[in-house]
Amino acid sequence: MSSYIPVIGLEIHAELLTNSKVFCTCNAEFGGSQNSRCCPTCTGMPGTLPVINQTAVEYAIKAGFALGCNINKHSVFDRKNYFYPDLPKAYQISQLNLPLCIDGIVPIEVNGKTKNIRINRIHLEEDAGKLVHDDFNGVSLADYNRCGVPLIEIVTEPDISSADEAKALVEKISLLLQYAGVCDCKMEQGSLRADVNVSIMKPTDTELGTRTECKNLNSIKSIGRAIEYEIKRQSRVLDMGKKVIQETRRFDDNKGETKSMRSKEDAHDYRYFPEPDILQVNFTDEMLDEIKTKLPELPHKRLNRYINEYKLNPADAKIIVNQKKISDLFDDTLKIYNNPKSVANLIVVELLRRINLGEASIDNLPSAEYIAKLVELSDTEKVSKNDAKQLLRFMLDTGKNPEDLAKEHGMLIVNDTAKAEEIITKILNDNSKTVEQFVNGEKKVFGFLMGQCTKALKGVCTTKAIKEILDRKLSEAETSAKDSTEKKSDVVEESALNESVEDRFTNYSNPNRYMPKPDENNIPLVDGKTLTKVFNLEEALKSVGKEIEFKACVHKVRQMSDFSFVVLRTSRYLIQSIYNPKTCKDSLDGIKEGCFVNVKGTVTVNEKASYDIEIELSSISMISKPHYEYPLRVSDKKLGCALDINLDNRSVSLRNAQQRAIFKLQEGIVGGFREFMVDNGFTEIHTPKIVAQGAEGGANIFHLEYFDKPAFLNQSPQFYKQTAVAFFDRVFEIAPVYRAEKHATSRHINEYIGLDFEMGYIDSMYDVMAMETAMLRYVMEYLNEHYKNEIDILDADIPVVGNIPSVTLLEVKQILGDKASGNKLDLEPDEEVAICEWAKKTYNSDFVFVTHFPSSKPPFYAMNSREDSRLAYKFDLLFRGLEITSGGQRIHDYNEQVEKMKAQGLNPDDFKYYLEAHKYGLPPHGGLGIGLERLLMKILRLSNVREASMFPRDINRLLP
């Protein structure tokens, strides 16, 4: 593979931001109802004549200047003849021999190296319309709104040597066109798209290889992946001694590969000739100079200004410049509040982070006035730095003025130092033991004291003032302690003076620890009979008046006058214990939150304690201690922090009893599901997660490099479940599934646990629905029986599963009436909520089945309805306003499955191994997949599905 040199050229199509089309006065804005923005001219009706849009020509010239091109003073339009349903004239007005712009240069940077890419030409042309495929009715319709929208085509020389360079070039050209103000470059809307020409050659070759063209790539990622695949494909072709065919190919984003469309056309195939209805375009030097003066500041000039004039860090300056709307916001903010570094810090560190998390949109940014005010409040210490971050989130949520929000939330600081002195003194008196630790050299407790003071003095003083007062008071305490120590120096030994408080605890040791006994050959034999034990609540409840011993983590220590409460966190419970120095042989000094300990004590009855018992400690010894204080208040009933802070500190946040209970309840769902499945004759299977084909299709699939072959992370175990029905009759799996959905919503994560089952010998999909109903009823009863502790901690609302109503998609639309969306193929989130409210009100059911979706929407393995082939035997189960299940009856007949694949444009040869199960016979079968996290989320009424995932993976999170 590495013996070939890639040679790549791009043809980038960019729609111009004119108000009207290039040859008529129709609205050129994106969108609008179908065929509402077209006229006889742009639809090519007989007798109409085109009139050139002067602004479109000016914008094309601006693009040429931005890309370093020379401008032709004499330019001509031509007709490009070809037939396609979205081109009503059967020709396109374009430019061939005399384009507007030629010979440009665009520098790119890849891996720290700069390279110049030559631009061959930029020509102006009209865009075509688009076809709209109505899968429900099986027809394709033409929408001519886009016909005649002005389009420039930017053609590069074959100077590009890799996918990374191609992506960098498209990103750079996109940025330049946005700064020039000629294109919005929204690839998802089609206003910027690229055709990729790829060939390969050996280092010793003197001529370029045969090229292929991959058409209409509308994302940076797709451009890179298409190039990488095509390089490998052509390399394999040449390695086999074959020739690369010059052809046009399309990129299948689902499979990560290109497919042949047609042989590649050359210019003569389009039968170009001069456009007779448009005169040549001529420019004078004065006209070109006038257009050039209208060109806004380009990104490289803005970057230099940020670095040299504003003294911004080059990395921050690049981040700001690389998104024009962000850069414009930055500049507009500085016109109101001129502190470049502070404004840049807020935008780069906080605002862009919120955008990446999906909490804000680049198309809906806060006003420069509000950003300026927020930065000013922070710089002048009228709000703390941390509160400024929170205020930004409030601004994004409400759109309110930051100063008003600061007042509303009590964040404005008044700097009342007298009050601060009084409160800090009280805090130090209340935490005298912690002050003693500080005085004795344990300086890390300063953070705890500072935290207590900051919390108590919110809105009273700046952090700087609080720190100064606290530093002074602790220094006074140290001086006082030193004086006291010197007075007693004649009676107290030096070693005692230097004794650390933490050295007073007892270290744990177990003289009876298990050691395997050796045999006659002195080889230790592990018997598996002597096992370590964990705390057992039932045994403890039976041991009132007796001494027990167990290991736990110190969850909280609360010191009273003569004794201390020590709350111990076991694997499942919080157990209250009493430490009395008169009855416990070990010291409690140095034992604090987060320490892992071994305890012995007598079980006593206390109706005020959890589980009506507490432990009177006779011994507590240190097994392990933390080196740092917790960053979160783990011992609180609720963490009380933002979700992203919770997830960033997962190793700590899961020590909170409520957070931990979420995942014990998740364990209960899985345990109940597995027990039900086994009891009902299902066999548990384990299927591969690295696969050659996506079961669900579409773009929401993760691509992998698998030993130089394309592979994917499995979207579901569907193919394997169906295959296994042939020999196990009924199967289930509990395993992760992966969806590459670019959503940053409260409903979506990219890796989740699927509860899947498939069952044979069914008569209809209702057999599957009945099995799920019975399973959910069993699981909820299982939770009530085995997880009462967690249900109480979480105050969980476990649903009662009775008879679940079932309605068709069409019936849902009719029930909702005016609340229904125009989407004929599926339910929108608001509709899911509304139909669940209907089910609750009408049937007192938290669940509702929705059935009979259009056959064009479900995957190819879904069986079409025998009553109406436009519908499929598919169902979703909604629970408290959210879809948690997708299932249905599958196609089991080989010929029927092959025909449906073909009907959906799929090649059955690509699914050879899947079809083998059908070829050799399958019983009628169906099944479903449940999202575990979504089910748990709705049981607990959580607001975000990430809360129901221990270590969630979403579009922005790969750690921890």
Side-chain angles (χ1 to χ4, degrees):
M1 295 290 184
S2 59
S3 61
Y4 297 102
I5 299 172
V7 180
I8 303 162
L10 298 181
E11 298 169 18
I12 300 172
H13 306 268
E15 290 183 352
L16 300 178
L17 285 173
T18 57
N19 293 325
S20 58
K21 295 184 180 181
V22 64
F23 299 122
C24 67
T25 58
C26 290
N27 188 342
E29 187 180 358
F30 176 80
S33 58
Q34 288 87 350
N35 296 311
S36 63
R37 295 176 178 174
C38 52
C39 69
T41 300
C42 56
T43 53
M45 296 298 173
T48 59
L49 291 174
V51 178
I52 196 163
N53 184 330
Q54 183 176 335
T55 303
V57 175
E58 181 180 309
Y59 279 12
I61 300 299
K62 278 186 175 182
F65 282 132
L67 272 59
C69 292
N70 295 320
I71 310 301
N72 273 329
K73 294 182 181 178
H74 173 71
S75 185
V76 174
F77 284 88
D78 301 280
R79 284 191 183 182
K80 180 181 181 181
N81 297 275
Y82 67 94
F83 175 77
Y84 202 70
D86 61 8
L87 193 69
K89 289 186 292 195
Y91 66 86
Q92 179 187 35
I93 300 178
S94 182
Q95 294 185 294
L96 179 62
N97 295 318
L98 290 171
L100 289 169
C101 313
I102 57 173
D103 302 333
I105 291 285
V106 176
I108 61 171
E109 186 176 313
V110 177
N111 298 326
K113 296 181 180 179
T114 301
K115 179 177 181 178
N116 288 332
I117 305 298
R118 293 173 296 159
I119 304 298
N120 175 281
R121 58 192 278 139
I122 301 177
H123 62 261
L124 178 63
E125 61 188 21
E126 59 181 336
D127 207 346
K130 67 176 181 179
L131 296 181
V132 179
H133 304 288
D134 184 346
D135 293 328
F136 185 75
N137 293 303
V139 296
S140 293
L141 303 172
D143 179 9
Y144 293 128
N145 279 352
R146 200 172 65 181
C147 256
V149 169
L151 188 77
I152 54 172
E153 182 171 335
I154 303 163
V155 182
T156 77
E157 297 289 356
D159 294 343
I160 303 164
S161 305
S162 69
D164 286 342
E165 288 184 6
K167 292 191 292 183
L169 178 64
V170 175
E171 288 174 341
K172 184 64 174 289
I173 288 177
S174 171
L175 193 65
L176 288 167
L177 295 179
Q178 288 179 68
Y179 271 85
V182 300
C183 179
D184 60 18
C185 299
K186 294 180 178 178
M187 299 189 79
E188 71 280 4
Q189 293 183 0
S191 61
L192 187 77
R193 50 194 189 270
D195 301 338
V196 175
N197 293 273
V198 180
S199 68
I200 58 174
M201 59 187 293
K202 291 185 176 180
T204 55
D205 290 344
T206 56
E207 294 184 0
L208 298 177
T210 303
R211 68 188 172 94
T212 61
E213 181 181 30
C214 195
K215 299 287 286 185
N216 289 326
L217 298 166
N218 63 352
S219 76
I220 300 295
K221 185 178 179 181
S222 293
I223 290 168
R225 290 175 55 223
I227 291 171
E228 288 171 352
Y229 177 84
E230 194 58 20
I231 291 170
K232 291 175 183 177
R233 186 191 70 83
Q234 292 185 24
S235 298
R236 285 194 291 267
V237 169
L238 295 181
D239 286 342
M240 289 188 292
K242 299 180 181 180
K243 292 183 178 180
V244 174
I245 299 171
Q246 181 172 325
E247 61 184 346
T248 299
R249 300 177 69 86
R250 68 177 179 87
F251 180 64
D252 186 331
D253 197 58
N254 179 31
K255 295 187 175 181
E257 60 188 34
T258 63
K259 293 185 177 181
S260 178
M261 291 174 63
R262 57 181 180 269
S263 60
K264 177 76 179 105
E265 300 92 346
D266 289 313
H268 63 266
D269 294 316
Y270 290 112
R271 296 177 289 115
Y272 277 97
F273 64 85
E275 168 56 54
D277 294 329
I278 300 178
L279 295 174
Q280 63 192 32
V281 180
N282 298 306
F283 296 98
T284 64
D285 289 336
E286 291 76 17
M287 292 167 68
L288 293 178
D289 287 342
E290 183 182 352
I291 294 173
K292 195 169 188 177
T293 58
K294 295 178 182 178
L295 198 65
E297 183 183 41
L298 293 177
H300 66 280
K301 292 183 179 179
R302 197 172 281 194
L303 181 65
N304 289 334
R305 175 161 60 87
Y306 288 176
I307 295 173
N308 298 323
E309 183 179 334
Y310 295 156
K311 308 301 180 186
L312 293 188
N313 178 299
D316 289 347
K318 281 184 180 179
I319 290 171
I320 295 172
V321 167
N322 282 343
Q323 297 188 67
K324 184 175 184 295
K325 289 184 178 180
I326 294 294
S327 184
D328 289 344
L329 176 64
F330 177 73
D331 279 352
D332 291 343
T333 302
L334 293 185
K335 294 173 185 176
I336 302 169
Y337 180 70
N338 191 19
N339 189 333
K341 290 188 177 180
S342 293
V343 174
N345 184 66
L346 181 76
I347 288 175
V348 172
V349 177
E350 287 303 318
L351 179 59
L352 289 178
R353 178 167 176 255
R354 297 297 156 201
I355 291 172
N356 290 334
L357 288 171
E359 296 177 8
S361 166
I362 196 77
D363 295 319
N364 189 24
L365 296 170
S367 69
E369 178 188 355
Y370 284 2
I371 293 290
K373 174 55 69 174
L374 180 59
V375 176
E376 182 185 3
L377 289 172
S378 178
D379 283 354
T380 56
E381 295 191 324
K382 290 182 179 177
V383 299
S384 70
K385 301 294 183 186
N386 284 334
D387 283 347
K389 298 176 185 178
Q390 191 66 27
L391 283 173
L392 177 63
R393 298 187 74 176
F394 293 152
M395 279 170 52
L396 295 172
D397 290 341
T398 66
K400 292 182 179 179
N401 184 305
E403 191 163 17
D404 293 340
L405 287 168
K407 292 175 183 175
E408 182 181 326
H409 292 276
M411 293 178 176
L412 280 180
I413 298 171
V414 295
N415 260 351
D416 186 343
T417 54
K419 186 174 181 180
E421 290 264 359
E422 178 186 339
I423 292 174
I424 290 174
T425 300
K426 183 178 185 305
I427 289 171
L428 295 180
N429 289 336
D430 291 344
N431 293 273
S432 57
K433 202 164 190 66
T434 306
V435 173
E436 183 182 345
Q437 288 177 273
F438 181 89
V439 169
N440 288 334
E442 194 180 342
K443 303 302 182 187
K444 65 184 180 181
V445 301
F446 180 85
F448 168 77
L449 294 170
M450 184 67 185
Q452 296 295 307
C453 294
T454 304
K455 183 179 178 182
L457 292 167
K458 186 175 182 179
V460 177
C461 259
T462 64
T463 303
K464 181 180 178 183
I466 293 170
K467 186 175 183 300
E468 289 174 354
I469 296 170
L470 183 60
D471 275 334
R472 173 166 50 78
K473 289 190 172 292
L474 288 174
S475 295
E476 291 170 358
E478 284 184 305
T479 303
S480 175
K482 183 179 179 182
D483 293 343
S484 175
T485 300
E486 288 174 354
K487 290 178 183 177
K488 298 177 181 178
S489 60
D490 55 334
V491 234
V492 182
E493 294 181 2
E494 185 177 349
S495 60
L497 286 174
N498 295 328
E499 182 183 344
S500 168
V501 171
E502 290 198 359
D503 290 339
R504 296 176 188 167
F505 58 72
T506 302
N507 282 306
Y508 170 73
S509 64
N510 183 7
N512 300 317
R513 68 184 184 277
Y514 170 68
M515 290 294 292
K517 294 181 180 179
D519 65 1
E520 63 273 8
N521 298 314
N522 206 31
I523 301 298
L525 299 178
V526 181
D527 58 26
K529 297 177 181 178
T530 308
L531 304 179
T532 58
K533 295 183 179 181
V534 297
F535 176 82
N536 186 301
L537 181 61
E538 290 185 6
E539 290 182 4
L541 292 171
K542 295 175 183 177
S543 301
V544 174
K546 300 177 183 177
E547 186 175 74
I548 62 172
E549 180 177 4
F550 59 94
K551 296 174 176 63
C553 182
V554 176
H555 191 68
K556 187 175 184 179
V557 177
R558 188 152 53 97
Q559 296 175 340
M560 311 303 283
S561 55
D562 299 322
F563 66 95
S564 298
F565 287 110
V566 181
V567 179
L568 300 167
R569 186 176 70 245
T570 69
S571 60
R572 190 171 181 182
Y573 306 102
L574 295 181
I575 302 299
Q576 180 171 291
S577 67
I578 301 293
Y579 173 82
N580 190 323
K582 296 178 182 178
T583 56
C584 185
K585 69 183 185 67
D586 301 311
S587 172
L588 194 63
D589 289 336
I591 293 179
K592 57 185 179 181
E593 181 184 43
C595 292
F596 295 89
V597 296
N598 185 82
V599 299
K600 292 181 182 178
T602 303
V603 181
T604 62
V605 174
N606 183 348
E607 294 180 356
K608 294 182 179 180
S610 299
Y611 319 112
D612 298 333
I613 60 168
E614 64 185 9
I615 314 298
E616 292 185 356
L617 296 176
S618 58
S619 171
I620 180 167
S621 54
M622 180 77 77
I623 299 173
S624 173
K625 63 178 181 177
H627 290 278
Y628 295 91
E629 300 288 335
Y630 288 157
L632 305 173
R633 296 177 65 87
V634 167
S635 61
D636 286 358
K637 184 177 180 180
K638 291 184 178 181
L639 278 181
C641 63
L643 179 57
D644 56 343
I645 294 174
N646 179 332
L647 298 179
D648 288 341
N649 295 276
R650 213 56 168 149
S651 66
V652 175
S653 64
L654 289 170
R655 303 176 194 219
N656 172 264
Q658 193 175 68
Q659 289 292 306
R660 184 178 62 168
I662 291 173
F663 299 100
K664 287 297 291 184
L665 210 62
Q666 187 182 82
E667 170 199 82
I669 295 171
V670 171
F673 175 77
R674 176 177 279 116
E675 192 170 284
F676 176 86
M677 289 287 107
V678 172
D679 288 349
N680 283 274
F682 286 78
T683 298
E684 185 166 10
I685 60 174
H686 304 282
T687 63
K689 301 306 162 209
I690 299 176
V691 295
Q693 296 154 329
E696 306 298 327
N700 60 341
I701 186 167
F702 285 108
H703 299 259
L704 302 175
E705 279 295 318
Y706 190 73
F707 304 109
D708 204 32
K709 298 175 184 177
F712 312 100
L713 286 177
N714 209 356
Q715 296 167 300
S716 89
Q718 187 59 46
F719 293 172
Y720 301 100
K721 288 192 303 176
Q722 288 184 253
T723 299
V725 164
F727 42 85
F728 281 133
D729 292 352
R730 294 180 169 189
V731 296
F732 76 98
E733 181 175 59
I734 304 166
V737 293
Y738 304 89
R739 300 293 173 95
E741 295 171 320
K742 296 181 179 179
H743 300 307
T745 75
S746 61
R747 303 156 53 97
H748 293 91
I749 47 178
N750 298 110
E751 177 185 19
Y752 64 89
I753 302 301
L755 307 178
D756 282 88
F757 72 74
E758 204 79 12
M759 52 191 287
Y761 302 108
I762 67 170
D763 293 315
S764 73
M765 67 177 172
Y766 293 109
D767 292 329
V768 181
M769 294 160 64
M771 188 67 71
E772 180 175 27
T773 302
M775 179 274 294
L776 287 170
R777 186 178 296 130
Y778 186 92
V779 166
M780 301 311 159
E781 291 170 355
Y782 185 90
L783 293 178
N784 283 320
E785 181 180 354
H786 298 286
Y787 288 85
K788 186 178 184 306
N789 177 62
E790 285 71 28
I791 291 171
D792 290 343
I793 291 172
L794 296 164
D795 194 22
D797 181 11
I798 306 298
V800 175
V801 183
N803 297 332
I804 299 178
S806 173
V807 289
T808 67
L809 178 64
L810 180 59
E811 288 170 340
V812 171
K813 302 289 184 178
Q814 292 170 344
I815 290 167
L816 297 184
D818 294 340
K819 294 182 180 179
S821 73
N823 185 350
K824 298 178 181 179
L825 302 179
D826 204 352
L827 294 178
E828 299 296 335
D830 289 347
E831 292 176 297
E832 291 181 356
V833 172
I835 196 62
C836 282
E837 289 173 349
W838 170 85
K840 185 67 175 177
K841 181 179 179 180
T842 309
Y843 294 95
N844 194 29
S845 173
D846 288 306
F847 300 88
V848 58
F849 283 111
V850 180
T851 67
H852 294 87
F853 287 78
S855 57
S856 57
K857 179 187 181 294
F860 60 81
Y861 49 78
M863 181 181 284
N864 287 355
S865 167
R866 299 306 189 242
E867 297 79 23
D868 184 347
S869 60
R870 295 179 303 169
L871 303 175
Y873 291 139
K874 178 194 179 302
F875 67 85
D876 286 349
L877 179 64
L878 311 182
F879 174 36
R880 291 177 177 167
L882 183 67
E883 176 199 328
I884 62 166
T885 300
S886 180
Q889 184 169 1
R890 323 302 190 190
I891 298 172
H892 61 274
D893 180 78
Y894 174 76
N895 292 327
E896 183 181 349
Q897 183 62 87
V898 169
E899 288 305 313
K900 184 158 186 182
M901 285 179 172
K902 291 178 179 178
Q904 293 196 359
L906 300 172
N907 184 354
D909 292 341
D910 293 339
F911 299 89
K912 173 185 173 183
Y913 293 104
Y914 169 66
L915 285 172
E916 281 188 354
H918 298 73
K919 186 184 294 185
Y920 300 115
L922 285 170
H925 63 281
L928 56 78
I930 302 172
L932 172 62
E933 289 82 358
R934 281 192 170 193
L935 175 58
L936 178 61
M937 170 191 176
K938 283 302 175 181
I939 288 175
L940 299 179
R941 300 187 187 274
L942 302 174
S943 60
N944 195 305
V945 71
R946 290 161 186 76
E947 297 178 72
S949 176
M950 189 173 290
F951 298 102
R953 292 291 174 263
D954 57 39
I955 192 172
N956 298 306
R957 184 172 293 277
L958 267 175
L959 294 170

